[in-house]
Amino acid sequence: MDFAFDARTEELRAQLLSFMDEFVYPAEAVAEEQRAGLASPWDTPAVVGELKAEARRRGLWNLFLPDKEHGAGLTNLQYAPLAEITGRSPHLAPTALNCAAPDTGNMEVLAQFGDARQKERWLRPLLDGEIRSAFAMTEPEVASSDATNIETRIRREGDTYVINGRKWYISGAMNPDCAVLIVMGKTDPDGPDVRRQQSMVLVPRDTPGVRVRRAMRVYGYEDHSHGGHAEVVLEDVRVPVANLIGEEGGGFAIAQARLGPGRIHHCMRLIGMAERAIELMCRRAASRTAFGKPLAAQGQVQEWIADARVTVEQLRLLVLKTAWLMDTVGNRGAHTEIQAIKIATPRAVADMVDKAVQVHGAGGVGQDFPLAELWAAARTLRLADGPDEVHQRSLARRELKRYL
């Protein structure tokens, strides 16, 4: 990256690049080796704790949170190149810096909408990396891309909410350190405004009636590093009314506030994933020979590398523009750009990683290189935080409004 950022960002970039080289990349193989010897595949390898301690010692902690009271106080534009670097090792680096989803989004929700008690009980230990969390929104029985479809019910009985529902692909819920879930359901299912029917409540994971039924695989991977993606059943789960986040009927608005930063954070990290794929592709092409000449001399491979470089530079500029707009005119003012990067980035990065897989041959689909997992992550992000088609529909409507 040849951009010149402000002095603080450049200093943090240098520190983070050093941390990645000295600690994160060497820890990738160590984490896999340690995981094989754990009592449960969902336990955290010891090396992750070591990385977190070192990152915190170096001041590389909670960089994602712009709230100076709780986080590093960086703008989106300042955070973008840092998140990109962590995307080069997406299963270790974000966790090491306490900047991994879904905790990041949950911390943002608590910082913005939580009351003092909720912040003390849940936000503080999340900020300190003492616990993990999950965000329970997606459901198996409905098209969850439309949040008005949610069937989970949150019924009030006196000073208690009673929750019944079934969620799946709830990231982080398999992790033994997951202490709390933010559950989205309907408190007013028959209300006239479909965007005021939903609310969010804090549900401790050990609450009676909360049952983590199974781990959901993603293209065959269980994603241990992020705490898995669970199917969670809630049967007559009772929590105090004080566990409501914000106000009744505010769940839809909170979800939108949460998903905006989440989408750009994913895209920031995807740029780093693309850069690592290009690096691996180039190294492989330079070191392998086929049909009497290096792969690097094959016209098809050269085309893939050139196209990847052009594409990643375009994507980075769009992500940086979006970050700048979010800082200057707010998430609403950057709505079009947020949707544009969410459409373009996962799609293009998955294609780049796929080309890198092709250059690696059989090695590209195996466990000796990170490419297969990178591809699965990029492809999944075409669904996470809203599928492509939802963003395309909304963006097209906004464009057409000027002509209709």
Side-chain angles (χ1 to χ4, degrees):
M1 179 188 289
D2 297 321
F3 295 103
F5 290 93
D6 66 279
R8 187 183 182 199
T9 304
E10 291 292 358
E11 180 181 359
L12 287 169
R13 281 189 69 237
Q15 293 175 2
L16 183 53
L17 287 169
S18 175
F19 178 68
M20 296 287 288
D21 288 338
E22 292 180 46
F23 294 95
V24 175
Y25 297 133
E28 291 178 336
V30 176
E32 286 302 310
E33 183 178 343
Q34 290 181 350
R35 195 178 301 282
L38 294 173
S40 165
W42 305 109
D43 290 339
T44 303
V47 71
V48 175
E50 296 167 9
L51 289 174
K52 292 171 74 172
E54 182 62 26
R56 194 163 192 180
R57 188 185 71 79
R58 293 179 176 223
L60 300 171
W61 193 255
N62 291 335
L63 300 176
F64 74 97
L65 198 56
D67 185 337
K68 291 183 180 180
E69 179 184 356
H70 302 299
L74 301 176
T75 65
N76 286 293
L77 189 58
Q78 290 175 310
Y79 180 56
L82 308 177
E84 175 182 326
I85 294 169
T86 67
R88 295 176 62 88
S89 183
H91 300 298
L92 270 186
T95 300
L97 275 59
N98 211 39
C99 293
D103 296 325
T104 48
N106 291 342
M107 285 187 269
E108 288 166 340
V109 165
L110 287 167
Q112 187 173 353
F113 301 100
D115 60 31
R117 185 191 64 84
Q118 292 168 351
K119 289 178 181 178
E120 181 63 28
R121 177 68 182 87
W122 301 113
L123 179 58
R124 178 47 52 192
L126 281 169
L127 289 169
D128 290 339
E130 297 172 356
I131 63 172
R132 301 296 300 270
S133 62
F135 183 67
M137 180 175 175
T138 305
E139 298 182 357
E141 302 298 334
V142 296
S144 296
S145 56
D146 179 358
T148 64
N149 285 335
I150 284 177
E151 293 185 338
T152 295
R153 296 296 184 259
I154 304 174
R155 187 181 75 256
R156 182 165 182 168
E157 290 186 0
D159 294 331
T160 301
Y161 282 122
V162 181
I163 308 168
N164 283 279
R166 179 177 166 221
K167 303 285 188 177
W168 72 345
Y169 285 95
I170 307 309
S171 301
M174 297 300 299
N175 192 319
D177 295 328
C178 177
V180 65
L181 294 81
I182 294 180
V183 177
M184 185 167 175
K186 289 188 176 181
T187 46
D188 185 18
D190 299 318
D193 185 348
V194 294
R195 287 177 172 77
R196 292 286 301 172
Q197 296 176 349
Q198 307 86 2
S199 300
M200 289 190 188
V201 293
L202 290 157
V203 178
R205 188 171 180 267
D206 59 1
T207 304
V210 176
R211 181 160 56 96
V212 179
R213 186 174 178 184
R214 59 174 174 160
M216 304 301 302
R217 294 192 178 97
V218 179
Y219 288 106
Y221 293 103
E222 290 184 323
D223 199 0
H224 300 122
S225 58
H226 287 161
H229 308 281
E231 179 182 356
V232 180
V233 178
L234 304 116
E235 297 177 327
D236 293 328
V237 174
R238 292 178 176 270
V239 298
V241 168
N243 284 22
L244 175 72
I245 300 175
E247 62 177 2
E248 283 196 10
F252 193 92
I254 294 173
Q256 293 305 307
R258 182 188 189 277
L259 292 172
R263 286 166 181 147
I264 193 171
H265 291 170
H266 281 313
C267 291
M268 291 169 179
R269 288 189 291 267
L270 278 163
I271 302 298
M273 292 164 59
E275 287 286 9
R276 190 162 191 195
I278 293 171
E279 177 185 322
L280 289 168
M281 181 163 48
C282 289
R283 291 185 184 278
R284 186 75 164 186
S287 65
R288 308 288 276 198
T289 299
F291 304 105
K293 61 181 179 180
L295 289 180
Q298 305 284 353
Q300 181 72 75
V301 175
Q302 292 177 348
E303 182 179 322
W304 291 342
I305 291 170
D307 286 348
R309 173 51 55 200
V310 171
T311 301
V312 79
E313 296 299 332
Q314 292 172 328
L315 293 173
R316 180 183 287 117
L317 285 172
L318 184 54
V319 169
L320 291 174
K321 177 193 176 185
T322 305
W324 172 74
L325 283 171
M326 291 172 70
D327 292 335
T328 55
V329 298
N331 293 3
R332 185 178 295 276
H335 195 195
T336 294
E337 285 74 16
I338 291 172
Q339 290 182 320
I341 62 171
K342 182 58 174 63
I343 294 166
T345 314
R347 182 188 300 171
V349 172
D351 183 66
M352 276 184 261
V353 176
D354 186 65
K355 296 299 191 297
V357 168
Q358 203 72 9
V359 172
H360 282 72
V365 300
Q367 69 270 38
D368 291 345
F369 299 93
L371 292 168
E373 284 192 278
L374 290 179
W375 182 88
R379 180 61 184 84
T380 302
L381 286 173
R382 292 186 60 189
L383 294 168
D385 291 352
D388 291 358
E389 294 75 16
V390 171
H391 296 294
Q392 288 172 315
R393 175 174 176 264
S394 178
L395 198 155
R397 284 180 169 181
R398 188 172 292 106
E399 285 293 306
L400 287 166
K401 186 180 292 186
R402 294 183 293 173
Y403 303 95
L404 297 176

